Amino acid sequence: MGNEDIEWDPYDPNCPSRQLVDRIGDRWTVLVIGVLSDGPARYRDLADRVAGISPKMLSQTLKALERDGLVVRQAFAEVPPRVVYELTEAGQTLRPVLLELERWARKHMPGVLEARERYDASAQG
Amino acid sequence: MGNEDIEWDPYDPNCPSRQLVDRIGDRWTVLVIGVLSDGPARYRDLADRVAGISPKMLSQTLKALERDGLVVRQAFAEVPPRVVYELTEAGQTLRPVLLELERWARKHMPGVLEARERYDASAQG
DNA sequence: CAGCATCCCTCGTGATACTG
DNA sequence: CAGTATCACGAGGGATGCTG
């Protein structure tokens, strides 16, 4: 576990790039972070905006994000209960990265989908 | 994200951002693309550089990438066989995005891992 | 409203062995 | 070398119902 000056091999399972993929490479994490990039949000808001997510996955995703110091959870002692989730400073730094991703998707995903259709049309299943 | 004057709902299952997550949000895809970002590579090279990937997952990942027009496969009729994989132009456009990801990981993942340890240390299982 | 517990089943993934 | 075929396992994630 020593933090010596490692040589950088993104294809080594123990390198940060890989750890990041393991961290955000699931169906929901980046979507939840994306919503929180617009500002703090309540549990209900998140459930609504991340279309299709189940309560279980939302809780799970949020808890993992909190564990990793990317999101803070603030619960108010009220009735009915109110809980607000918010990106930490570290979490905020993900925003520009996600924006890049979004920009790419917007520009290139249609082409990808077309290529996929062409491929499927010309290939024998 | 909110300051663009188009209707763009990244949290709708049918939006490009989401499609991108579905596309590259698996354990291997971004790693394979990462290797190919350094230039064309043979099957063997890829297997070596993406540590831990099985032949099956490598083939599968490559085929999916080819289907989506992000990678081209070039087979030479030789003995022994030689097959070279290469990013298409579309595939190349992913490079800067991936670099951003890598940059983020390098800078912030150590902190994330620390936060995680702190959390686990202070929480009761 | 927020979110945990439980059941259950799909599907991604690894291991292994085989082919052109 | 460059894959494919097959099996089998375990985690991911949905549905439902309950609690504070």
Side-chain angles (χ1 to χ4, degrees), chain A residues 14-116:
Chain A
N14 282 10
C15 100
S17 296
R18 188 105 170 215
Q19 291 165 350
L20 178 63
V21 173
D22 286 344
R23 180 62 194 78
I24 68 172
D26 64 281
R27 187 176 230 64
W28 303 116
T29 298
V30 300
L31 266 7
V32 168
I33 295 176
V35 176
L36 291 176
S37 290
D38 291 340
R42 301 179 58 171
Y43 183 89
R44 209 13 157 140
D45 299 332
L46 289 163
D48 289 342
R49 297 191 59 189
V50 182
I53 195 171
S54 65
K56 175 185 164 183
M57 291 316 296
L58 182 52
S59 295
Q60 196 169 301
T61 302
L62 252 9
K63 187 167 292 184
L65 251 14
E66 191 191 358
R67 179 165 96 114
D68 287 355
L70 297 171
V71 160
V72 271
R73 196 192 105 117
Q74 193 177 3
F76 296 87
E78 304 173 355
V79 178
R82 180 164 57 103
V83 180
V84 174
Y85 293 90
E86 187 173 5
L87 291 182
T88 60
E89 274 189 42
Q92 296 279 0
T93 64
L94 267 171
R95 228 198 135 183
V97 180
L98 259 29
L99 272 175
E100 276 304 307
L101 244 29
E102 183 181 334
R103 212 168 284 139
W104 191 94
R106 188 180 196 155
K107 188 168 182 184
H108 297 281
M109 277 309 288
V112 166
L113 264 20
E114 278 173 35
R116 191 179 296 179

Side-chain angles (χ1 to χ4, degrees), chain B residues 34-107:
Chain B
V35 175
L36 290 176
S37 290
D38 292 340
R42 302 178 57 170
Y43 183 90
R44 210 10 155 147
D45 299 330
L46 289 162
D48 289 342
R49 297 191 58 189
V50 181
I53 196 170
S54 65
K56 175 185 162 183
M57 290 316 296
L58 182 52
S59 295
Q60 196 169 301
T61 302
L62 252 11
K63 190 167 290 184
L65 251 13
E66 191 191 359
R67 180 165 96 113
D68 287 355
L70 298 171
V71 159
V72 270
R73 196 192 103 117
Q74 193 178 4
F76 297 87
E78 303 174 355
V79 178
R82 180 164 56 104
V83 179
V84 174
Y85 293 90
E86 188 174 4
L87 290 181
T88 61
E89 274 189 43
Q92 296 279 359
T93 63
L94 267 171
R95 228 195 138 189
V97 180
L98 259 28
L99 273 176
E100 275 304 307
L101 244 29
E102 183 180 333
R103 211 168 287 138
W104 191 94
R106 188 180 199 152
K107 187 168 181 182

